[in-house]
Amino acid sequence: MAPMRIAVTGSSGLIGRALVDSLRADGHEVLRLVRRPARTGEEVEWDPGRQYVDAAGLVGCEAVVHLAGAGVGDHRWTEAYKREIRDSRVLGTAAVAEAVASLDAPPRTLVVGSAIGYYGDTGDRAVDEDAPPGHGFLADVCQEWEEAAAPAEEAGVRTVYARTGLVVSRTGGAWGRLFPVFRAGLGGPLGSGRQYWSHIALHDHIAALRHLLDAGELSGPVNLTAPEPATQREVAAAMGRVLHRPAVLPVPAFALRAVLGEFSTDVLGSQRVLPRRLLESGFVFAFPGIEDAVRAALR
């Protein structure tokens, strides 16, 4: 891409930090949206709870990447935390979309970080972007999340919904919690082990986000998942091989329910999601298989 001025929300998270570093390394000007008064010219104030964005700070931006949202697996799902998960995504997205739409010369592109939770539990059935929404809390949140970006679409901004799978990284996210467990020799398949986990290496995820910024023909939902979804049993086996640890003892479903509560339903669920539109647009994965992704995370 030619150098651009790009604004990013969620820049302190696992994906946001890596994206900002990648863009700046290639000469792009990156503005970070922060939840306090801006201290430098590279910051823009916003408050997703109040649906406020200092729109003047976005003037001149050619793209906005919206990644902010409360972590799905960070806390037990009380009703209060479920409300925080939903509001942080829906209200935050509405604030960004409305700010973008209010500009006399809005950015050409808005990339909204969504999730494959949109599809619900797909079992053994492979789905792509044409699949309808599923059922359950996360599926409902994802639908509202994407719908909240309507003001930007209506203003003529190319809007992409990056439906992300499980990002394989040793430093954060759900996978960051798995590495210490498997290193200790305590890892194994979750529940039956037959459920699919649609993963993506962190390297490929950042490359895919940058591809979405550059691929001017893409809009609407795009799955950011590796082309080879793996079962939980295959995930555990790959982790064991790479870390040279046993990974055969399954974690019983009842134990996960006791620890995770309602969130265990999604952990034990199966999502076999394929990145059809990403592949059709010419994107090439560096780490398509689960073992490739795990090895990449350790580099």
Side-chain angles (χ1 to χ4, degrees), residues 158-183:
R158 179 175 71 95
T159 304
V160 186
Y161 306 104
R163 293 178 181 166
T164 299
L166 290 163
V167 178
V168 184
S169 168
R170 73 177 188 277
T171 58
W175 226 284
R177 299 183 183 189
L178 288 180
F179 273 102
V181 174
F182 276 86
R183 282 187 192 278

Side-chain angles (χ1 to χ4, degrees), residues 125-160:
R125 177 173 54 94
V127 298
D128 61 22
E129 293 87 354
D130 289 336
H135 304 284
F137 170 68
L138 289 182
D140 292 344
V141 167
C142 288
Q143 290 176 70
E144 290 187 72
W145 190 357
E146 295 182 7
E147 289 167 0
E153 283 192 286
E154 292 164 1
V157 177
R158 179 175 71 95
T159 304
V160 186

Side-chain angles (χ1 to χ4, degrees), residues 54-179:
D54 179 9
L58 302 180
V59 171
C61 285
E62 293 158 277
V64 175
V65 183
H66 174 47
L67 302 173
V72 169
D74 288 358
H75 299 279
R76 193 177 181 89
W77 280 10
T78 62
E79 288 304 313
Y81 194 66
K82 286 168 67 175
R83 194 159 51 248
E84 182 175 345
I85 290 172
R86 183 259 179 205
D87 289 351
S88 68
R89 286 161 172 73
V90 177
L91 299 182
T93 300
V96 170
E98 288 165 7
V100 162
S102 73
L103 298 174
D104 292 335
R108 292 195 301 267
T109 303
L110 170 63
V111 176
V112 177
S114 184
I116 60 170
Y118 178 93
Y119 303 107
D121 189 334
T122 73
D124 293 336
R125 177 173 54 94
V127 298
D128 61 22
E129 293 87 354
D130 289 336
H135 304 284
F137 170 68
L138 289 182
D140 292 344
V141 167
C142 288
Q143 290 176 70
E144 290 187 72
W145 190 357
E146 295 182 7
E147 289 167 0
E153 283 192 286
E154 292 164 1
V157 177
R158 179 175 71 95
T159 304
V160 186
Y161 306 104
R163 293 178 181 166
T164 299
L166 290 163
V167 178
V168 184
S169 168
R170 73 177 188 277
T171 58
W175 226 284
R177 299 183 183 189
L178 288 180
F179 273 102

Side-chain angles (χ1 to χ4, degrees), residues 178 181-182 185-191 193 232-233 235-237 246-251:
L178 288 180
V181 174
F182 276 86
L186 302 175
L190 304 181
Q232 232 294 306
R233 192 172 294 156
V235 168
V248 294
L249 295 177
V251 180

Side-chain angles (χ1 to χ4, degrees), residues 33-56:
L33 272 70
V34 296
R35 304 183 195 201
R36 52 169 172 73
R39 295 172 184 162
T40 72
E42 294 181 337
E43 295 180 343
V44 177
E45 183 181 0
W46 82 311
D47 185 337
R50 293 192 294 116
Q51 292 187 266
Y52 167 75
V53 176
D54 179 9

Side-chain angles (χ1 to χ4, degrees), residues 175 178 182 197 199 230-240 290 294:
W175 226 284
L178 288 180
F182 276 86
W197 273 21
H199 67 280
T231 65
Q232 232 294 306
R233 192 172 294 156
E234 291 167 339
V235 168
M239 293 284 283
I290 183 58
V294 173

